[in-house]
Amino acid sequence: MAISFTEENYLKVIHRLSEATSEDISTNAVAELMQTKAASVTDMLRKLADKGWVNYQKYQGVRLSAEGEKIALSIVRKHRLWEVFLVDKMGFNWDEVHEIAEQLEHIESDQLVNKLDEYLGFPKTDPHGDPIPSKDGILPELAYSHLSDIKATKTCKLMGVAQDSAVFLQLLTKLNLNLGAKLAIKEINEFDRSIFVSINDAAPIFISHDVAKNILVKILA
Amino acid sequence: MAISFTEENYLKVIHRLSEATSEDISTNAVAELMQTKAASVTDMLRKLADKGWVNYQKYQGVRLSAEGEKIALSIVRKHRLWEVFLVDKMGFNWDEVHEIAEQLEHIESDQLVNKLDEYLGFPKTDPHGDPIPSKDGILPELAYSHLSDIKATKTCKLMGVAQDSAVFLQLLTKLNLNLGAKLAIKEINEFDRSIFVSINDAAPIFISHDVAKNILVKILA
DNA sequence: AATAATTTTTAGATTAACCTAAAAATTTAA
DNA sequence: TTAAATTTTTAGGTTAATCTAAAAATTATT
């Protein structure tokens, strides 16, 4: 069945919200991410339900159907593969690719996506450490921890970020916090939950709790 | 000023029609290429004129303004660069890329286009032999001849095609008529204007006038 | 449990891009 | 040069996606 860019974006947003919870997704939550009004969302949810892509009962929230999930994953796959292309082949920085990938994710051609995947060497993750769904719609669970949840004196490795905004990524770059960076937590301040941390064995610096919340790590020791 | 995909497609179509003539372009001609009705075209032409991208007087036809020309050329540039990408990097055949490039040409990012250009080695033409407009909107005139206009016993080289349809390009491929192929015209039949021609020194075969009309060649001898 | 606050939906409009049918202008041809 | 044919425009509607304002349902609070 034909699908519009807008419908694709709604499915993508519902998918993203569903990753964080097992509850049904509220109209308002969708409205916020779609940068639109709740009334518009209600209209669209009824339409998506008619098409069989979501399960929706009014006032009860929404969740993706199996088919909706499949569509959402194919968009995520395209988005992340294009991000790899933009960074690895076009030479963009990781903070520059999100907006462009938002456009490229709507290009319709299974053949192209799979050739691109091959051309890029079947990458497992995008430039922000997010896993790339496979051709048949399987998205590997990564299960990394948020830096803000790690106890003091632990050492860990930066595996991904929980936010793609340019300002956030630029800050990380400035702090030398790239994918793969080694983080040795020296101390956590009770007052503001800021973290005193050594990056790649350099002299320790302070990182705010807000930043730490959005950094995903694997614990090394 | 913001521009929609539809508006971009109208400008592209008007540009294409303008290449073939110095006259103003008729509403019907635009309607045919846009696969829509004349009434819809009238609406859109008024809108494009309001935005300053075309000069349009009702009943007098339309032509691109300087600014409209600039936009159209940037779309053509993107379309052709993406076609090169699809053939050279993704391994598509020349008859498979038009539809995908129709989508990719609307991706908005000057930075991406210029990086892509560089990545592809600043190609001069697309996989069909069409010239690629430069960053500053200069489209080199190629001035090749139509095979149908060449006299018998001349030899020439296939430099491009005047049509991108998959069926046409697949036929050429089947006949071994690729970019750069050598064509030795043995005879032209008065009856149906079909051409008896040797391709790359192989045994001569017949080519219909309809096919010959859409083949662009450079005369060698 | 009743009321207040919040969330969600409905009702009624708006805009972009399209449509059909009819009217008006232009072009062609007798 | 007038009538016929064609082209183009206007008038009035449709659909997708949005909006605001008001009504209805749900959730939270006393």
Side-chain angles (χ1 to χ4, degrees):
Chain A
M1 193 182 321
I3 186 167
S4 69
F5 283 18
T6 306
E7 290 167 338
E8 290 193 344
N9 285 332
Y10 270 94
L11 293 179
K12 194 181 56 165
V13 155
I14 297 166
H15 177 264
R16 185 134 92 83
L17 291 166
S18 300
E19 280 186 316
T21 174
S22 57
E23 317 253 298
D24 288 6
I25 306 307
S26 76
T27 302
N28 263 354
V30 174
E32 190 181 358
L33 271 197
M34 283 299 298
Q35 312 213 72
T36 185
K37 296 301 157 77
S40 312
V41 173
T42 299
D43 284 352
M44 181 56 85
L45 294 185
R46 252 188 333 106
K47 190 162 110 182
L48 295 176
D50 286 348
K51 295 197 173 192
W53 297 330
V54 301
N55 296 114
Y56 166 66
Q57 300 281 106
K58 61 162 128 161
Y59 293 107
Q60 303 316 138
V62 67
R63 63 175 59 205
L64 293 174
S65 69
E67 171 141 13
E69 176 84 7
K70 211 178 102 192
I71 297 169
L73 280 171
S74 96
I75 301 163
V76 170
R77 173 170 159 81
K78 287 189 280 182
H79 183 102
R80 294 182 180 167
L81 282 173
W82 280 116
E83 285 198 341
V84 175
F85 169 77
L86 292 170
V87 168
D88 286 9
K89 304 294 183 183
M90 295 291 103
F92 281 99
N93 301 316
W94 70 345
D95 58 284
E96 299 175 313
V97 297
H98 187 73
E99 323 308 326
I100 305 178
E102 288 281 316
Q103 300 178 59
L104 286 165
E105 72 190 2
H106 300 296
I107 301 295
E108 208 181 304
S109 167
D110 287 349
Q111 243 201 314
L112 172 58
V113 179
N114 295 331
K115 279 172 184 280
L116 183 65
D117 193 13
E118 185 187 347
Y119 185 67
L120 299 172
F122 303 107
K124 293 277 159 301
T125 60
D126 76 11
H128 312 105
D130 294 311
I132 297 174
S134 71
K135 194 192 309 206
D136 34 277
I138 293 165
L139 195 164
E141 274 300 327
L142 286 192
Y144 292 131
S145 313
H146 296 258
L147 177 60
S148 48
D149 296 334
I150 313 294
K151 301 276 170 288
T153 77
K154 290 272 180 202
T155 303
C156 39
K157 189 173 168 190
L158 201 163
M159 301 305 291
V161 293
Q163 219 205 96
D164 290 345
S165 77
V167 277
F168 174 64
L169 296 171
Q170 281 158 11
L171 172 57
L172 293 198
T173 304
K174 225 177 293 173
L175 298 174
N176 223 355
L177 281 168
N178 301 304
L179 236 51
K182 183 181 150 199
L183 294 160
I185 303 182
K186 303 299 179 192
E187 212 181 323
I188 300 170
N189 297 298
E190 204 193 321
F191 173 63
D192 61 354
R193 291 188 287 172
S194 67
I195 297 173
F196 193 54
V197 63
S198 160
I199 298 159
N200 290 326
D201 302 311
I205 57 165
F206 287 103
I207 287 181
S208 74
H209 178 71
D210 276 340
V211 166
K213 265 193 315 195
N214 288 294
I215 293 178
L216 301 175
V217 297
K218 186 166 76 182
I219 300 174
L220 298 174
Chain B
M1 195 184 318
I3 186 167
S4 69
F5 283 19
T6 307
E7 290 167 338
E8 289 193 345
N9 284 332
Y10 270 93
L11 293 179
K12 193 180 57 163
V13 155
I14 296 166
H15 177 264
R16 185 133 91 85
L17 290 165
S18 300
E19 280 185 317
T21 174
S22 57
E23 317 255 296
D24 288 7
I25 305 307
S26 75
T27 302
N28 263 353
V30 174
E32 190 180 358
L33 272 198
M34 283 299 298
Q35 312 213 74
T36 187
K37 297 301 156 79
S40 311
V41 174
T42 299
D43 284 353
M44 182 56 85
L45 294 185
R46 256 193 321 112
K47 191 162 107 181
L48 295 176
D50 285 349
K51 295 198 174 191
W53 297 329
V54 302
N55 297 113
Y56 166 66
Q57 299 281 107
K58 62 160 125 163
Y59 293 107
Q60 303 316 141
V62 68
R63 64 174 59 205
L64 293 174
S65 69
E67 172 143 9
E69 177 85 7
K70 210 178 104 192
I71 297 169
L73 279 172
S74 97
I75 301 163
V76 170
R77 173 170 160 81
K78 286 189 278 181
H79 182 102
R80 293 182 181 168
L81 283 173
W82 280 116
E83 284 199 342
V84 174
F85 169 77
L86 293 169
V87 168
D88 285 9
K89 303 295 183 184
M90 295 291 103
F92 281 99
N93 301 316
W94 71 343
D95 59 285
E96 300 175 310
V97 297
H98 186 74
E99 275 55 41
I100 305 177
E102 288 282 316
Q103 300 177 61
L104 287 165
E105 72 191 2
H106 300 295
I107 301 296
E108 206 181 305
S109 167
D110 287 348
Q111 242 200 314
L112 172 58
V113 179
N114 295 330
K115 279 172 185 278
L116 184 65
D117 194 15
E118 183 186 348
Y119 185 66
L120 299 170
F122 304 106
K124 293 278 162 299
T125 61
D126 76 12
H128 313 105
D130 294 311
I132 297 174
S134 71
K135 194 191 310 206
D136 34 276
I138 291 164
L139 195 165
E141 273 301 325
L142 286 192
Y144 293 131
S145 313
H146 296 258
L147 177 59
S148 50
D149 295 334
I150 312 294
K151 299 279 171 285
T153 76
K154 289 272 181 200
T155 303
C156 39
K157 189 174 169 191
L158 201 163
M159 301 305 291
V161 293
Q163 218 205 96
D164 290 345
S165 77
V167 280
F168 173 64
L169 296 171
Q170 281 158 11
L171 172 58
L172 293 198
T173 304
K174 226 179 290 173
L175 298 173
N176 225 353
L177 281 168
N178 301 306
L179 237 51
K182 183 182 148 198
L183 294 160
I185 303 182
K186 302 299 181 192
E187 212 182 322
I188 301 170
N189 297 299
E190 205 194 321
F191 175 66
D192 63 353
R193 290 189 286 172
S194 67
I195 297 173
F196 194 54
V197 63
S198 162
I199 298 159
N200 290 326
D201 302 313
I205 58 166
F206 287 102
I207 286 181
S208 73
H209 179 71
D210 276 341
V211 167
K213 265 193 313 194
N214 287 293
I215 293 177
L216 301 176
V217 298
K218 186 166 74 184
I219 300 173
L220 297 175

